Structures are given as C-alpha cells and as structure tokens.
Amino acid sequence: MSELRNLPSVDRLLRHEDAAGLMKEYGRPLTLDAIRETLEAIRTGKSVTNQKWSEAEILAQAGLLLKDWTFPTLTPVINATGVILHTNLGRAPILDLSFYKQISGYCSLEYDLEEGGRGSRSDHAEKLLTRLTGAEAALVVNNNAAAVLLVLTALCKRKRVIISRTQLVEIGGGFRVPDVLAQSGAKMVEIGTTNRVHPGDYEEALKEGAGALLRAHHSNYKLTGFTSEPSLEEMAEIAHRHGTLLIDDLGSGTLLDTAIFGLAHEPMVQESIKAGADLVCFSGDKLLGGPQAGIILGRRELIEKIKKHPLARAVRIDKLNLIYLCWTLDLYLRDKSGVIPVWFMISRGLEELDQIANQWRKTLKTGDVIDGFSTVGGGSLPGETLPTRLLAINIKSPQNVLERLRAFNPPIIARIEKDQILIDPRTVLPGQEHDLIEGLEKAIFSWDGYFRDAGLTGMIDPRNNLNR
Ligand SMILES: *Cc1c(COP(=O)(O)O)cnc(C)c1O
C-alpha cells in the first residue's frame, strides 16, 4: 500500500521531460486528463499495483491512452467485397476531391451574383436537375429519408395517405415506411395484401378522399412469384382523376438505364416524372453516385410549398455535399457519367477484372482466380449480380486473416465464402492496389510490423494497456 502513497503528483509528472512531448502532440488539457486517469487506474487497482511505477512508465501509459483517445476511427478503407454501394463503407465512393477547392473560403452558396443580394442555395442543383429529368422544379435536402419525411409533413399532415401493403418495407437503419408516415403526421391507409395490390384497391380507398397516393420502392427486398402492382402511369391516372397527388419514393433512382449494363431495369427518375408522379424522391449517394443527399423533384407549386415548410430548413443540404452533387450532375449533363465511380465500377468488363486478379495472384504467388459475382447494393437491384473474377485464397484460418486485413492501414474489407478469402477487383479503386497487395502479403505471410503504428507493436489492444 505504501507504493500507492508514493505515486508522483500530477504536477511533478507534468514537469517531466516526457510530458512536454505529450503536451506538444495532444495539448495540455487532454494530457492532464490522461495523466489523471492513469494515476487513478493505478490507485484503484485496475492495474497491478505491487510494482513500482517510474514517472516515465506512468507517462508512457498516459501516452497510450492519448493515442487511443485520438485514434481516428473514420478512415479510408479498401473495399474488396465487390458490393459497389456498400452502406457501411460510405455508399457511393468519391474519387476526385478537386471540386472542393471551389468552395474553400467563401462561396456563392446563398448569394445572387447578378442581383448582389440574397440568393437561394437550392437554385444551383435545381437548374441541373430540371434539365436532366424534365421535372418543373427541384429541392435538395440532407438525405432521402429527410426528403420523404419533409414531403409528407409539408403536404399530407393529418391527411390520408394511401399505400399498398406490398410496399410497407423497412430499408434498414431504422427507416420503415409506416414509421416515417406516422412521424409526418399523415394517416396511413393500407391497401392490398403483402403480395398483390390492384387499381381497384386504390379506387376503393379514394372514396373517402386522400392527401396522396404513396408509392415506395421495395428497396433491398424483392417481390417475386404471385405478385402484382399497378404501373406508375395507372396510379397517376387514378390519383389525378380523384384530384389527389402521387408521391413516388424511388429510393435509389437512377438517371441511366441499368439494363445497358446487363442488370435488371432499375426504375429511372425520368420515367417517374414522365409517368405523371407529382413528386419524386431519391438518394444522392445510391445509383446517382454522388454525395449523401435527398432529391425532391416535381411540380413547381408543390416544391415551392415544401421549400417554405420549417422542416425544410432543418434538413437542408450543406455546402460540401451540394458542390459535390452539382459536380456529379454536371457530369451527367455532359454525357461523362462513365467517370462517376459507381458507373465506372458497374461497367468494368470481365476481361479487365480477370487481368487484375491474375496480376495480383502472380505478385502474391498464391490463390486462384475464379468466377464470382459482384453486387450493386444500396437498396437498389436486390438479387441482381454482375459477373466478376475473384482472387480466391485458401487459408487455414480465414477469419483470422480477415481480422488482420481489417487492422491494416488502410483497413482492407474482404469476404469469406467456403473457407476462402475472396478479393473482388471491381470495387478496389485504382491507386489502392499497392496497399491491397502489401496488406494481403502481411496478413497471409507475416505478422511482424503489422500494426498501423510501430508504437503499438506488441500491444494486442491499446484499450487494455492499463492491465499490464
Ligand atoms: C434508401 C432509401 C431511402 C432512404 O434514403 P437515404 O438517402 O438513405 O436517407 C428511402 N426510401 C427508399 C425506398 C430507399 O431505398
């Protein structure tokens, strides 16, 4: 116990030369916290106490704490899964950050350069979106969940909203269509059955009037077998005959026809507008291939009403995402969508993928190149796959190797099938190949020098560092 009383004071530790280094790197307040926490852990016996702690050792422990506290958890990764729109890996990847220069410092976000006064942040994207889709007007918000909630709140509060049971889906991450409807204050009217809904079901429900018919994309859920849903044209005709609105939550939506790439036809934004939907909502970072955003397109008077709703301000898009969105839309306008990473990956050919996988196999001197499938992901095209060529590595404990790959800098995310590690070149971005090979080599053939930071070598988990 006398050991404990002999612990140096915080002040004394702060005067130690090692503390100067910590304070320079982490700042005085955080270093102070770390020293206090380390001393506390020693005192309360969270660490083995029957040992003499030198000042340098205490500060070294504090240093490990500081490293852990500031260790970045949001970091670039290599996506070797072959899932193009991987929701856990940031959905649509961003290749080129040069456009961000346009808004470093001040920018004309809400400034009308012609008039010299207040402008609207929504004008920048609206101009591009209306030209691309044929819609009268547009509004961009923070994400598509916000877009759907905003539309329903602004236009359907306390009104009946008719939706088919075939579309009462949960898309994941807490977005359930019935819950969003409830949150908006609309009264949900369910029609049809889980597998089938008919035009007559809509007609019947409309006898009591409604604020809108809502169509929701099934997202990552596939309706197959004995199923039926009326077309959007039929729904628009019914809605308009009854003097009500048709709102279409497209989820992903796409401006390009996915069938060109050998996939099923994903509903296109232009088709919804043409079919007569009064409002269409979709995501910025699914098949559009842009940043997180929610895009609302449709009739001008409705968009104007939505823009004025207080919730619109609460869910508005920020300038970084807006500039990226405009940059992405501009590429579509100029017919250069092939450079958008999502479309670049979707359109990669088997021959190219085979060459890459074989190159990796040669460099690593292990594995086989086999046939496999990539997926689009992101709640679009469920069950649809793109043929790919995979580097398959047979290894004793694939789970361990997967873990090591995740601990590499940058972390490599791969998958296991039939006890093989599978590496899909389709989603590995050009420029990441060198890191990928190095990570694979280390994870498979050696463990030494493996940790991201040499300072952590020998430490299993920096969070356990007080239990020495
Ligand atoms: C993905 C999706 C949403 C939510 O879009 P976020 O941009 O993720 O907020 C809403 N509805 C459908 C049908 C979707 O697929």
Side-chain angles (χ1 to χ4, degrees):
M1 274 298 141
S2 61
E3 270 307 330
L4 293 182
R5 254 174 262 121
N6 286 342
L7 281 174
S9 70
V10 174
D11 277 343
R12 195 185 159 86
L13 287 165
L14 280 174
R15 284 195 300 272
H16 193 277
E17 61 178 325
D18 292 356
L22 292 178
M23 284 194 281
K24 185 158 180 241
E25 192 171 349
Y26 299 104
R28 191 184 150 93
L30 200 63
T31 304
L32 205 58
D33 281 353
I35 291 175
R36 289 204 176 113
E37 204 159 294
T38 305
L39 288 173
E40 185 61 17
I42 296 171
R43 255 186 225 112
T44 55
K46 276 189 200 146
S47 304
V48 182
T49 51
N50 55 359
Q51 136 189 24
K52 187 148 176 61
W53 288 76
S54 73
E55 290 179 19
E57 279 177 320
I58 295 172
L59 288 167
Q61 286 297 331
L64 287 172
L65 266 188
L66 287 163
K67 192 166 276 171
D68 183 36
W69 289 350
T70 55
F71 195 79
T73 51
L74 179 58
T75 150
V77 302
I78 297 176
N79 175 10
T81 64
V83 182
I84 296 172
L85 295 167
H86 199 304
T87 296
N88 304 142
L89 304 183
R91 282 206 189 140
I94 302 173
L95 257 197
D96 183 350
L97 292 168
S98 58
F99 54 87
Y100 280 131
K101 287 199 200 90
Q102 296 172 39
I103 48 160
S104 61
Y106 298 108
C107 66
S108 58
L109 182 64
E110 291 185 0
Y111 192 80
D112 186 329
L113 290 168
E114 267 174 46
E115 302 290 325
R118 192 188 164 93
S120 156
R121 92 168 46 205
S122 87
D123 286 354
H124 313 288
E126 185 165 18
K127 181 177 130 189
L128 303 166
L129 282 164
T130 50
R131 174 145 303 273
L132 277 166
T133 63
E136 283 178 17
L139 171 64
V140 178
V141 295
N142 188 41
N143 57 27
N144 189 37
V148 176
L149 180 64
L150 174 62
V151 165
L152 293 170
T153 309
L155 303 178
C156 300
K157 197 167 191 158
R158 286 186 287 276
K159 293 182 185 162
R160 286 158 47 89
V161 170
I162 299 167
I163 181 155
S164 165
R165 291 190 176 90
T166 55
Q167 294 161 18
L168 292 179
V169 293
E170 171 182 317
I171 65 151
F175 186 98
R176 289 175 161 185
V177 173
D179 295 349
V180 176
L181 271 162
Q183 187 63 40
S184 74
K187 290 179 213 154
M188 179 169 76
V189 179
E190 297 173 40
I191 58 167
T193 60
T194 315
N195 59 329
R196 285 166 79 84
V197 62
H198 306 290
D201 296 325
Y202 286 97
E203 302 270 7
E204 187 62 30
L206 276 166
K207 281 184 183 159
E208 283 177 54
L213 306 190
L214 175 63
R215 183 182 82 157
H217 188 280
H218 303 124
S219 199
N220 32 21
Y221 168 72
K222 198 169 181 179
L223 204 61
T224 57
F226 186 57
T227 64
S228 108
E229 287 182 327
S231 70
L232 205 60
E233 283 87 353
E234 284 175 277
M235 287 184 69
E237 190 277 317
I238 296 168
H240 297 156
R241 183 153 40 76
H242 288 82
T244 190
L245 302 175
L246 174 60
I247 300 169
D248 190 18
D249 173 12
L250 269 182
S252 173
T254 171
L255 293 175
L256 299 185
D257 185 356
T258 48
I260 296 172
F261 303 93
L263 292 160
H265 177 76
E266 176 73 15
M268 293 169 70
V269 178
Q270 302 92 315
E271 291 168 349
S272 289
I273 298 288
K274 195 151 169 258
D278 297 284
L279 288 167
V280 181
C281 303
F282 60 101
S283 287
D285 56 353
K286 291 184 179 172
L287 277 173
L288 190 73
Q292 179 186 305
I295 297 163
I296 308 168
L297 298 176
R299 285 187 15 226
R300 185 176 312 282
E301 87 238 40
L302 299 174
I303 296 280
E304 290 308 320
K305 196 168 171 196
I306 295 165
K307 278 182 186 169
K308 291 195 190 99
H309 193 277
L311 191 57
R313 167 60 202 259
V315 298
R316 74 181 182 183
I317 190 167
D318 79 296
K319 63 181 176 183
L320 290 170
N321 281 342
L322 185 58
I323 191 82
Y324 185 28
L325 181 67
C326 290
W327 182 79
T328 308
L329 294 171
D330 185 76
L331 289 172
Y332 280 102
L333 261 187
R334 291 171 203 268
D335 198 22
K336 290 187 182 139
S337 51
V339 305
I340 296 171
V342 167
W343 293 110
F344 162 75
M345 289 178 181
I346 288 178
S347 59
R348 291 182 99 170
L350 261 189
E351 211 170 299
E352 181 204 353
L353 297 168
D354 181 71
Q355 268 173 20
I356 297 172
N358 270 300
Q359 190 55 51
W360 294 350
R361 183 183 55 79
K362 273 183 213 140
T363 313
L364 286 167
K365 300 189 184 66
T366 189
D368 303 292
V369 175
I370 61 167
D371 282 329
F373 296 100
S374 319
T375 54
V376 177
S380 55
L381 300 162
E384 284 289 309
T385 54
L386 289 158
T388 192
R389 295 285 283 165
L390 302 165
L391 176 64
I393 302 168
N394 262 305
I395 200 145
K396 250 202 223 118
S397 46
Q399 284 295 353
N400 287 349
V401 173
L402 222 57
E403 212 172 292
R404 289 189 215 175
L405 286 171
R406 287 200 307 273
F408 188 66
N409 181 26
I412 297 163
I413 317 296
R415 63 193 161 108
I416 298 178
E417 241 169 62
K418 295 190 196 127
D419 282 344
Q420 296 185 110
I421 306 251
L422 299 181
I423 306 288
D424 191 336
R426 188 185 294 279
T427 48
V428 175
L429 297 168
Q432 290 185 321
E433 292 191 34
H434 178 84
D435 283 334
L436 175 76
I437 295 298
E438 194 186 319
L440 284 169
E441 268 171 353
K442 287 193 170 152
I444 297 167
F445 303 117
S446 77
W447 178 250
D448 287 350
Y450 198 72
F451 284 96
R452 286 176 239 206
D453 187 322
L456 293 181
T457 308
M459 282 293 165
I460 300 306
D461 179 346
R463 275 158 294 229
N464 295 335
N465 61 46
L466 284 176
N467 304 320
R468 50 178 238 179

